Every structure is written in C-alpha cells, then in structure tokens.
Amino acid sequence: MPRPNVREIYERIRPYVEQYAGEYYGGSQEKGFRHWAFHEKFLEHDLSDTDIIDKTTIDGSDDFEVDGYHIEDAEEEKVIHLFQSKFRSPGTNIGSNELSPFLEAPAKVLSPEMVASCHNEETKTLHDNLVKLVPLGYVLHLTWVTTGTLSHQ
C-alpha cells in the first residue's frame, strides 16, 4: 500500500485546522495548525482548548523558536516538552535551516544572558521553570511539526 503524501495527509486534518483557526485565532491557519498539532501531541493529557491557548502564548517575538511548552510532572515521568510548528503550503520543502534554530532552543532558554535581553515574558517564565526543574531530574523533549517536507538542505 503506497504511503500517502503530505498534501493528502493535510487534506485529512484541514477541517480541524480551519475549525481552530476560526474559533480561536481570527482565521490564522498557522495558529490553527499549531493548535491542532499541540492537541494531538498531548491528546492523552486531556488539555482543553483554553489550556492549549495558554501553553502556546509564548509564540512570537523573542520566543527562541519555542511556540509552546507543556510540563509533565507525573510521579513516573518528569518531562518538559518544548514544541515548535511550521505551517507552510502542504508539501513545501523546508530546509534544515528552519529546524536548526529550534534544536538550539534549550540552550538559549537556559542562558541567563539571552533571557535577560528578551522581551517575551512567557520566555522568561519558561526559563524560570527550566532552571528550577532541570536540576530536579526533569528531561527535555523537543517536538517539531510541519505541513511541509523536510529536505536534506
């Protein structure tokens, strides 16, 4: 059975993206996609739409490429999830130059110097959480999602 291409997959999720875009983000497909992807990633956590909106308010200027985060503090698993989404025309090639900055996000968010010059209050809150929780054994998980196709360049 052939694997569906990115455009076919996007057509399956488009109604959800459009619903979130219309209900919460003034029609922004990019934010609707981010909301849908965050919802799907954390489906088992039973997050409400309001929770997702709150957890993705970091997105914007000085976000160090983090569009959202979720802290899991269950007894058996202590994880800080950093999340990034890239909405492009389905199937558009995305180079590693768009992924690389996100891979550098933990170091940036943990850097007191970088955070001191940051104007994003949510980034500062994330920094405060990381410096408090990482020494306690929390691990970082990075999730990067896109409607594009990651190219080798």
Side-chain angles (χ1 to χ4, degrees):
M1 178 181 207
R3 192 170 136 188
N5 69 37
V6 174
R7 286 181 186 88
E8 291 170 347
I9 294 169
Y10 182 71
E11 287 305 314
R12 293 183 199 161
I13 68 168
R14 184 186 359 198
Y16 304 104
V17 171
E18 290 176 349
Q19 176 187 347
Y20 292 131
E23 285 183 30
Y24 303 111
Y25 305 105
S28 169
Q29 297 293 298
E30 179 178 348
K31 291 180 179 180
F33 173 69
R34 182 191 64 213
H35 190 106
W36 171 84
F38 201 91
H39 174 268
E40 291 300 307
K41 168 68 178 159
F42 300 109
L43 192 60
E44 65 189 39
H45 296 269
D46 199 30
L47 299 175
S48 70
D49 290 327
T50 302
D51 291 336
I52 293 169
I53 292 166
D54 289 344
K55 291 174 181 289
T56 58
T57 57
I58 191 171
D59 181 34
S61 176
D62 280 343
D63 66 8
F64 299 151
E65 299 301 315
V66 176
D67 289 344
Y69 66 96
H70 176 64
I71 299 172
E72 217 176 311
D73 58 3
E75 188 81 21
E76 64 281 351
E77 191 168 33
K78 299 195 177 302
V79 180
I80 303 165
H81 298 272
L82 303 182
F83 183 86
Q84 228 268 334
S85 64
K86 292 288 183 187
F87 182 81
R88 300 290 183 270
S89 179
T92 300
N93 281 338
I94 295 181
S96 60
N97 62 322
E98 292 198 58
L99 173 59
S100 295
F102 180 59
L103 297 176
E104 298 167 4
K108 289 180 179 179
V109 175
L110 283 166
S111 166
E113 296 80 20
M114 295 213 52
V115 172
S117 63
C118 169
H119 295 95
N120 186 324
E121 292 303 317
E122 289 297 320
T123 300
K124 292 179 180 184
T125 299
L126 175 58
H127 167 81
D128 293 345
N129 282 317
L130 289 180
V131 297
K132 178 177 72 176
L133 297 174
V134 169
L136 298 176
Y138 281 70
V139 296
L140 294 172
H141 285 189
L142 279 68
T143 301
W144 190 79
V145 297
T146 183
T147 52
T149 303
L150 188 60
S151 70
H152 298 289
Q153 300 176 3

